């Protein structure tokens, strides 16, 4: 059991699982930069040990003290709510989602992250790094783009601290402490997605296991390295469930079985505490020693069914031309995955997700 200084273990779902809170305070220097010397400090080693333990177990943790403030999160969520409060006529003027760029507005129920289910009961707006993409804010509320891109900048800087902590957690050689940083030199394939889940009228627990029914987000694993996830204070992320993905998740990020077995309720802490989950590419780098986290968003009760739900996800997908292959540190066994570029893998998964467009009946 860790003391408050090194994080706390939180039991959820009737005590069936332990989900840790990890602080990155030891990786932030006086100027806000990363602190890793020739010899990591004891605090850094303890933090890295926590990350390694949870990424081997189920790939889910709560992250604090990584460079994002409560006020930063409050401002960006108020900004999102203004966007999604637009009426249908106003939303029709927004830049339509472009799967080639992975930017723009996706209308309600036009994507399915689990190809075994109908489209998800959500709408979203994606942006990418303004250094490499032109984010089209046509039709958005005044100042929307400035707020969104300011939050992007904070998350990009915060991610660099997490990269170093993950390299230490993987017990990489000293010369590889910047291993993940080197795969995110440009942030040209990462995405920030703002999501709104409107109230739903038909609540039934049967929908959790029937292939033919839609969820707010169907069962899936994320495509990239890790995801940072934030929720609005009102809904507290109610309905998010997670579990360790099966071996081989580095090949497939969709079509996770529609079953209730092994799911853990993952209620958001809100504010500046992010939920971090592992993606399919982390499984490839570690030869499945670190697994991807399968997750979904269900409607857990009647109260949640009648409430708006908002979340923001920062998908840390390595730079487009980066080749993802098993690190030599994990190559003692037979390599399960062939090398593939980050861009090739993620684009393949996006196209699979969009094949269900046109099936919506909501």
């Amino acid at each position: 059991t860790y003391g408050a200084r090194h994080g706390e273990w939180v039991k959820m779902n009737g005590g069936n699982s332990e989900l840790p809170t990890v602080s990155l305070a030891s990786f932030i220097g006086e100027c806000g930069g990363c602190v890793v010397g020739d010899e990591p400090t004891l605090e850094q080693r303890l933090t890295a040990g926590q990350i390694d333990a949870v990424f081997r177990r189920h790939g889910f943790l709560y992250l604090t003290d990584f460079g994002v403030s409560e006020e930063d999160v409050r401002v960006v969520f108020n900004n999102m709510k203004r966007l999604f409060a637009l009426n249908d006529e106003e939303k029709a003027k927004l830049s339509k989602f472009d799967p080639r760029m992975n930017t723009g507005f996706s209308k309600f129920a036009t994507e399915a992250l689990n190809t075994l289910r109908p489209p998800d009961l959500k709408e979203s707006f994606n942006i990418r790094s303004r250094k490499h993409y032109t984010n089209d804010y046509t039709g958005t509320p005044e100042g929307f783009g400035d707020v969104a891109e300011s939050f992007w900048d904070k998350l990009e800087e915060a991610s660099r601290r997490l990269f170093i902590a993950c390299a230490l957690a993987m017990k990489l050689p000293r010369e590889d402490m910047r291993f993940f940083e080197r795969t995110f030199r440009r942030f040209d394939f990462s995405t920030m997605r703002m999501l709104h889940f409107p109230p739903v009228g038909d609540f039934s627990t049967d929908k959790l296991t029937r292939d033919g029914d839609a969820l707010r987000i169907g069962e899936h694993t994320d495509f990239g390295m890790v995801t940072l996830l934030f929720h609005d204070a009102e809904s507290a992320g109610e309905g998010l469930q997670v579990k360790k993905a099966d071996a081989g998740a580095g090949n497939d990020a969709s079509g996770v079985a529609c079953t209730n077995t092994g799911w853990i309720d993952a209620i958001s802490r809100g504010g500046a505490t992010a939920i971090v989950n592992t993606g399919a590419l982390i499984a490839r780098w570690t030869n499945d020693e670190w697994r991807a986290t399968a997750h979904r968003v269900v409607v857990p009760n009647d109260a949640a069914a009648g409430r708006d739900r908002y979340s923001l996800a920062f998908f840390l997908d390595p730079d487009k031309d980066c080749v993802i292959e098993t690190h030599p540190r994990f190559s003692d066994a037979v390599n399960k995955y062939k090398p593939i570029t980050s861009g090739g893998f993620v684009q393949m998964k996006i196209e699979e997700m969009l094949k269900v467009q046109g099936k919506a009946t909501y």
Side-chain angles (χ1 to χ4, degrees):
T1 302
Y2 292 89
R5 192 175 183 185
H6 300 305
E8 57 180 320
W9 290 88
V10 179
K11 290 190 175 183
M12 301 181 66
N13 201 27
N16 293 329
S17 179
E18 294 177 327
L19 304 177
T21 298
V22 174
S23 167
L24 283 191
S26 62
F27 289 85
I28 300 180
E30 293 181 359
C31 298
C34 302
V35 179
V36 172
D38 291 339
E39 288 296 331
T41 66
L42 175 60
E43 295 276 343
Q44 290 169 345
R45 289 187 183 279
L46 287 170
T47 298
Q50 286 182 275
I51 293 171
D52 181 46
V54 73
F55 281 3
R56 288 177 182 275
R57 184 173 184 183
H58 47 56
F60 172 94
L61 56 83
Y62 297 105
L63 190 70
T64 63
D65 307 312
F66 57 96
V68 173
S69 72
E70 300 274 341
E71 180 66 6
D72 293 332
V73 177
R74 185 190 68 80
V75 169
V76 78
F77 270 87
N78 285 342
N79 196 49
M80 289 165 49
K81 291 175 182 179
R82 290 193 301 137
L83 175 77
F84 293 119
L86 297 175
N87 60 41
D88 289 343
E89 183 178 349
E90 291 169 323
K91 287 178 180 176
K93 300 175 183 177
L94 297 174
S95 174
K96 184 179 178 181
F97 177 74
D98 181 349
R100 298 168 301 168
M101 297 293 104
N102 199 17
T103 59
F105 175 69
S106 294
K107 294 193 299 183
F108 180 74
T110 54
E111 301 172 347
L113 284 172
N114 188 340
T115 55
L116 301 179
R117 290 190 184 272
D120 300 326
L121 306 179
K122 62 176 174 59
E123 57 183 347
S124 61
F125 193 94
N126 286 15
I127 70 168
R128 288 181 126 172
S129 172
R130 62 185 178 279
K131 299 174 185 176
H132 309 290
Y133 297 87
T134 299
N135 295 308
D136 187 348
Y137 296 114
T138 301
T140 62
E142 183 178 358
F144 174 84
D146 291 338
V147 172
E149 293 191 355
S150 175
F151 197 64
W152 172 288
D153 292 342
K154 291 179 171 66
L155 293 181
E156 183 175 319
E157 180 62 28
S159 300
R160 298 184 190 281
R161 298 161 188 147
L162 181 59
F163 296 155
I164 292 176
C166 286
L168 187 59
M170 284 173 62
K171 301 179 180 64
L172 298 185
R174 185 177 302 171
E175 61 272 17
D176 261 0
M177 282 297 103
R178 305 285 177 179
F179 172 74
F180 291 114
E181 270 198 300
R182 291 195 293 268
T183 66
F184 287 87
R185 294 185 190 276
R186 294 163 51 85
F187 280 83
D188 66 0
F189 221 55
S190 296
T191 305
M192 190 172 90
R193 166 165 276 204
M194 294 157 276
L195 300 109
H196 173 223
F197 306 84
V200 292
D202 180 19
F203 165 66
S204 169
T205 54
D206 291 342
K207 289 179 179 292
L208 301 184
T209 54
R210 296 203 303 249
D211 290 6
D213 284 316
L215 303 182
R216 279 181 156 168
I217 295 183
E219 301 87 346
H220 68 286
T221 59
D222 289 342
F223 308 146
M225 175 192 170
V226 295
T227 301
L228 303 181
L229 183 63
F230 302 84
H231 291 96
D232 66 294
E234 291 77 19
S235 75
E238 190 174 16
L240 175 64
Q241 296 182 328
V242 301
K243 73 174 179 178
K244 185 175 182 177
D246 295 333
N251 279 323
D252 189 16
S254 60
V256 178
C258 302
T259 173
N260 276 341
T261 304
W263 291 99
I264 304 166
D265 291 318
I267 302 301
S268 169
R269 304 285 182 78
T273 297
I275 292 173
V276 178
N277 65 266
T278 48
L281 292 186
I282 205 75
R284 287 175 168 265
W285 265 319
T286 64
N287 213 23
D288 268 347
E289 288 197 28
W290 286 2
R291 300 273 184 88
T293 309
H295 50 288
R296 64 185 184 180
V297 178
V298 302
V299 179
N301 51 56
D302 288 319
R307 186 165 49 227
D308 289 283
R309 183 183 188 278
Y310 300 88
S311 65
L312 183 149
F314 191 50
F315 298 104
L316 286 163
D317 300 325
D319 291 347
K320 184 176 181 179
D321 296 332
C322 176
V323 177
I324 308 300
E325 55 187 333
T326 301
H327 191 280
R329 156 84 172 77
F330 301 94
S331 295
D332 292 341
V334 176
N335 288 349
K336 300 177 182 179
Y337 302 108
K338 295 179 180 179
I340 189 172
T341 64
S342 172
F345 181 78
V346 173
Q347 198 63 38
M348 175 179 66
K349 306 317 297 181
I350 290 173
E351 289 171 2
E352 288 179 6
M353 175 184 72
L354 292 173
K355 286 180 181 178
V356 300
Q357 279 196 349
K359 295 182 181 178
T361 58
Y362 304 96

